[in-house]
Amino acid sequence: MSKLYNKHPYTSILNMDNEAFAGYAAIGETIQAALAGAGKRKAVVVVECYPGVRQEEILAGLAGVLGSGLVIRSEDAALEPSEVDRIVDRYMTDDRVFGYMAPFRISEFYDAERIAALRRQLDEAGEGTAIVIGFGASLIAEGDVVVFADLARWEIQQRYRAKEVGNWRTNRVETDILRLYKRGFFFEWRMADRLKKSLLGRINFYLDTNAKDDPKMITRQALFAGFAQAASGPFRLVPYFDPGVWGGKWLEANIDLPEREHPYAWGFDGVPEENSLYFQYGNVRVELPAINLVFFESVKLLGERVYARFGAEFPIRFDFLDTIGGQNLSLQVHPTTEYIREQFGMAYTQDESYYILDVEPGAEVYLGLKDNVVPEAMLADLRKAEAGGFTFPAEQYVNVYPANKHDHFLIPAGTVHCSATGCMVLEISATPYIFTFKLWDWDRLGLDGRPRPVHVEHGSKVIDWSRRTDWTNSELINRVRTLAEGEGWQEEVTGLHELQFIETRRYWFSESVLHEANDSVHMLNLVEGQEATVESPTGAFEPFVVRYAETFIVPASVSGYTIRPSGPSEGKKVGIIKAFVRV
């Protein structure tokens, strides 16, 4: 029934159809018209680029309309790669996965004398249109027209994997996708986002460069109209799915995904820092990073209290982990708040939970330590296994629980855990999602043929050795209680643990149920039933249809909304799980 799952959700933006343009011909003509309106015989177009943008494609595309005049590549004024490496190295570390959050701004990596030389070239240029392009182009000139060329994090990762692009301004020729991602995550994207937040409010045009040779461009007004509309009603993110060494068959079979050489392990449809949004302007569909909405509609989206606590970050994450017909996840633990702050520069940690969306017979979850565990003995065995030639006896040290559909296992940071084979997990967690310390990976290699990174030493410093069988049984497994009920509906609290800042509520209903605002963004998933419809009691937004396993977001600005079974589920009992920040 989940083959109804919509893999291409979009938000239709009203009254802005004439503010969107597709293809380089239309884009070039629009920029040319804007320059003509300025009435200048000598003009400058600044194309500020997010790292990973195909700059040569943009230049070739615009040349057909704007001509082949002077082109200034802003990165000619950047520091030498060796100098960038020297400055950044202490934040990168030698680890394949983990670095430290870098605080830099793009201006710190540009040379003042080189900037001045490029500006002189512009001043001395003859009549016509000059283009300044690159990551940092806005440092060189203010521009008569400013275009921001953007792309999604997932697309950047695909370009890494295809060896089309590497990291910015480095002498290291890197092929390890984990190290490429690490430098992007801890350095480049943070710096690029700081620039984006300072610049987008004063650009002329926003350029979507995700699809090769198929650009889309919108005006600044259309971009911010899209933000305002998305932050005023329910919406979905654009999902993506990725294979992994332990992947299963549920996602492929139930969400109608193309068959891959390696099975799908992950599904991401609730991670605004990684997922995209589709904005539809008439017949033009624009893809943009969902994090842009978080940056520019922070309070409407998150709520005042959540924004005051987390800033312009989306603190909740929903994703899928598929081990049905697959293998165990790595045995793992997440860092404490103190550890993640001191070691990696993150403000909060990856508390999480496993909501069991579906199972096959024999499904299990590893969670918490057994009562007889001696820490020194367990760590010695983990180190021996990490060195090779020894299989870690996981069942000797870690509790193993049967997993059933709709079980909810709570996993506060410091708790040893993993999903075993046979589970389709809806992971509900705090957002810092790469901070998993693998303790043991079941004697296997990654898809790249290399051992997957194991971090026993990090893990040894954050394991909470008091979380043993009795505590796990009483605190972390199906902490479900009925909060309220009425004719045709029931509301339950399912978690998360009191040590975690996220709360989850589950609703079983065959009638319309009212959800009230509580000054927090809501993230929800239809965990039972084929279809439901979200509606505004006041008509503030159009009815919004969701289907089985789809994650959706309701901004904090929505004062209240109802959800009812609809379509093939009308009159039947369906289930929704909702997460929000305890404020």
Side-chain angles (χ1 to χ4, degrees):
M1 63 180 170
S2 49
K3 288 188 178 180
L4 296 171
Y5 181 100
N6 181 4
K7 298 190 288 294
H8 306 284
Y10 62 85
T11 300
S12 292
I13 309 304
L14 305 177
N15 305 318
M16 285 288 168
D17 293 7
N18 295 329
E19 304 285 315
F21 316 92
Y24 281 113
I27 289 169
E29 290 167 2
T30 302
I31 293 173
Q32 189 175 54
L35 293 173
K40 292 187 176 181
R41 300 171 71 179
K42 178 179 176 180
V44 176
V45 175
V46 169
V47 183
E48 179 62 63
C49 297
Y50 206 87
V53 164
R54 298 181 177 109
Q55 297 180 27
E56 298 305 317
E57 177 193 308
I58 294 173
L59 289 172
L62 294 181
V65 177
L66 300 183
S68 52
L70 176 65
V71 172
I72 298 288
R73 299 176 186 275
S74 66
E75 283 144 299
D76 288 347
L79 300 182
E80 292 302 316
S82 58
E83 180 65 5
V84 175
D85 285 338
R86 184 192 67 78
I87 295 169
V88 173
D89 265 3
R90 63 179 293 235
Y91 293 90
M92 291 301 98
T93 77
D94 293 329
D95 192 277
R96 286 179 70 195
V97 177
F98 302 122
Y100 192 92
M101 283 297 197
F104 301 112
R105 296 186 178 276
I106 184 65
S107 57
E108 298 176 69
F109 295 92
Y110 270 71
D111 180 84
E113 291 184 3
R114 293 179 181 178
I115 289 175
L118 294 185
R119 288 175 177 169
R120 284 195 295 273
Q121 284 189 50
L122 282 174
D123 290 341
E124 294 166 2
E127 293 184 2
T129 301
I131 296 177
V132 182
I133 189 169
F135 178 36
S138 55
L139 301 177
I140 308 302
E142 291 187 4
D144 300 293
V145 167
V146 179
V147 180
F148 191 94
D150 207 0
L151 77 169
R153 295 269 178 88
W154 179 236
E155 175 59 24
I156 297 173
Q157 292 175 60
Q158 299 314 293
R159 296 181 190 184
Y160 285 162
R161 294 179 185 184
K163 299 180 174 59
E164 180 184 346
V165 300
N167 291 130
W168 185 76
R169 303 298 289 178
T170 177
N171 275 334
R172 296 183 175 88
V173 180
E174 186 59 73
T175 59
D176 184 351
I177 184 63
L178 294 179
R179 291 185 182 276
L180 286 162
Y181 182 91
K182 179 185 75 171
R183 191 174 173 108
F185 183 91
F186 286 97
F187 167 49
E188 293 172 21
W189 302 339
R190 305 300 157 182
M191 183 167 65
D193 286 345
R194 292 184 186 105
L195 177 61
K196 179 188 291 186
K197 285 189 281 189
S198 71
L199 188 62
L200 243 56
R202 49 193 176 90
I203 62 172
N204 300 97
F205 300 105
Y206 178 89
L207 184 63
D208 162 16
T209 69
N210 286 281
K212 187 173 178 60
D213 295 317
D214 187 19
K216 315 291 172 40
M217 189 176 78
I218 52 177
T219 64
R220 180 185 69 242
Q221 292 80 4
L223 175 66
F224 281 85
F227 291 153
Q229 186 174 323
S232 300
F235 64 90
R236 288 190 60 222
L237 306 177
V238 181
Y240 66 89
F241 305 90
D242 207 23
V245 66
W246 44 262
K249 292 295 186 182
W250 194 96
L251 287 168
E252 181 183 317
N254 288 273
I255 298 185
D256 197 25
L257 298 172
E259 187 175 349
R260 299 283 294 268
E261 177 186 359
H262 301 288
Y264 294 95
W266 293 277
F268 297 93
D269 73 344
V271 188
E273 188 167 332
E274 292 279 315
N275 287 108
S276 297
L277 287 167
Y278 285 151
F279 284 175
Q280 191 77 30
Y281 299 86
N283 61 0
V284 177
R285 188 181 74 185
V286 174
E287 181 177 1
L288 64 159
I291 195 67
N292 292 358
L293 178 65
V294 183
F295 292 156
F296 292 98
E297 286 287 5
S298 303
V299 173
K300 283 180 66 177
L301 177 63
L302 303 174
E304 288 187 357
R305 294 184 182 182
V306 175
Y307 175 66
R309 181 173 178 181
F310 295 98
E313 291 190 24
F314 198 99
I316 306 172
R317 182 193 79 186
F318 278 21
D319 62 86
F320 299 125
L321 308 172
D322 181 6
T323 69
I324 290 183
Q327 304 175 29
N328 296 353
L329 273 67
S330 60
L331 192 68
Q332 58 194 246
V333 67
H334 299 299
T336 59
T337 298
E338 179 182 21
Y339 196 82
I340 202 171
R341 183 185 296 122
E342 290 187 354
Q343 297 296 317
F344 311 115
M346 299 292 293
Y348 58 101
T349 194
Q350 188 174 328
D351 289 311
E352 66 183 29
S353 69
Y354 289 167
Y355 188 89
I356 307 301
L357 195 65
D358 204 356
V359 295
E360 63 180 357
E364 295 176 328
V365 165
Y366 287 74
L367 186 65
L369 302 174
K370 290 191 172 180
D371 287 334
N372 61 351
V373 167
V374 176
E376 293 77 13
M378 178 174 163
L379 291 173
D381 278 354
L382 285 169
R383 291 180 178 119
K384 192 187 304 183
E386 183 180 14
F390 174 76
T391 296
F392 179 72
E395 290 81 1
Q396 178 180 322
Y397 293 103
V398 184
N399 301 309
V400 184
Y401 297 96
N404 299 295
K405 188 172 183 176
H406 297 303
D407 282 349
H408 200 177
F409 297 91
L410 313 180
I411 312 171
T415 308
V416 176
H417 67 282
C418 77
S419 170
T421 184
C423 293
M424 179 59 201
V425 174
L426 172 65
E427 188 175 45
I428 301 173
S429 71
T431 297
Y433 53 92
I434 69 166
F435 295 93
T436 297
F437 298 151
K438 297 182 181 70
L439 303 173
W440 165 240
D441 204 33
W442 313 97
D443 288 324
R444 65 190 171 201
L445 301 177
L447 295 183
D448 58 3
R450 303 173 63 179
R452 299 213 302 159
V454 174
H455 291 92
V456 175
E457 294 312 310
H458 278 310
S460 70
K461 297 177 175 63
V462 300
I463 293 172
D464 189 327
W465 299 99
S466 70
R467 293 182 184 165
R468 306 198 175 211
T469 304
D470 287 345
W471 191 87
T472 303
N473 290 342
S474 64
E475 297 286 330
L476 303 185
I477 301 172
N478 288 329
R479 295 288 303 277
V480 179
R481 60 184 174 86
T482 299
L483 189 66
E485 56 188 330
E487 185 67 31
W489 65 274
Q490 180 183 27
E491 178 184 6
E492 300 170 325
V493 176
T494 72
L496 273 54
H497 192 267
E498 62 184 14
L499 297 175
Q500 302 172 275
F501 66 76
I502 296 171
E503 180 148 327
T504 53
R505 302 281 178 86
R506 183 170 59 197
Y507 299 82
W508 301 108
F509 55 102
S510 55
E511 305 288 339
S512 181
V513 178
L514 176 65
H515 297 251
E516 295 181 316
N518 60 351
D519 204 20
S520 170
V521 63
H522 295 174
M523 183 170 272
L524 309 93
N525 188 284
L526 184 62
V527 296
E528 187 69 40
Q530 288 183 265
E531 181 182 300
T533 296
V534 186
E535 295 171 307
S536 168
T538 63
F541 56 81
E542 292 295 315
F544 183 82
V545 175
V546 295
R547 298 172 180 85
Y548 179 60
E550 291 182 352
T551 293
F552 61 103
I553 295 169
V554 179
S557 65
V558 175
S559 59
Y561 57 98
T562 61
I563 309 180
R564 61 176 174 81
S566 60
S569 295
E570 191 166 352
K572 300 176 183 178
K573 184 168 77 169
V574 303
I576 287 268
I577 191 142
K578 175 173 73 177
F580 56 88
V581 176
R582 295 181 180 127
V583 291

